Amino acid sequence: MEFSVHIPFVELLGFELQKFEGGEATIAFNPKPEHENSFNVVHGGASMTLLDVTMAVAARSIQKDMGVVTIEMKTSFMQPAMGKLIARGRLIHRT
């Protein structure tokens, strides 16, 4: 499955779109060594990008020609991310 828009940074990271329908999205990310930080775990920026893109894709899934931008985003990292990551997003409210 392909993303509905061309996003060079997403292609560089190698995100794989698995679900894109009905207000839901699933994206897989299999990080490579170049996606790690100095502690040899997935860089927080790569993790945040995965979350950001998953939210946007979920929002776009109900109207594929609609543009989406993130205005604000925050997360708390509870443990390091290692190995293949799967992000799932679900549209709760659209404004």
Side-chain angles (χ1 to χ4, degrees):
M1 180 176 295
E2 293 192 22
F3 289 90
S4 64
V5 294
H6 170 67
I7 309 168
F9 189 53
V10 167
E11 292 173 9
L12 180 68
L13 290 168
F15 290 176
E16 178 189 334
L17 182 61
Q18 296 182 334
K19 184 173 186 176
F20 179 51
E21 63 185 349
E24 295 184 353
T26 302
I27 299 176
F29 175 40
N30 196 6
K32 297 177 182 169
E34 57 263 36
H35 301 130
E36 296 177 349
N37 62 21
S38 60
F39 299 107
N40 298 319
V41 297
V42 178
H43 190 284
S47 297
M48 289 293 285
T49 300
L50 178 61
L51 296 172
D52 181 49
V53 172
T54 304
M55 291 187 308
V57 171
R60 288 186 98 137
S61 70
I62 58 169
Q63 186 179 341
K64 295 179 175 47
D65 63 345
M66 175 184 68
V68 177
V69 295
T70 302
I71 295 172
E72 185 175 2
M73 184 173 170
K74 179 193 181 306
T75 193
S76 297
F77 296 101
M78 305 303 285
Q79 65 184 32
M82 297 180 288
K84 186 173 185 177
L85 305 177
I86 304 291
R88 292 180 180 87
R90 182 171 48 95
L91 180 64
I92 296 172
H93 180 72
R94 184 176 141 188
T95 59

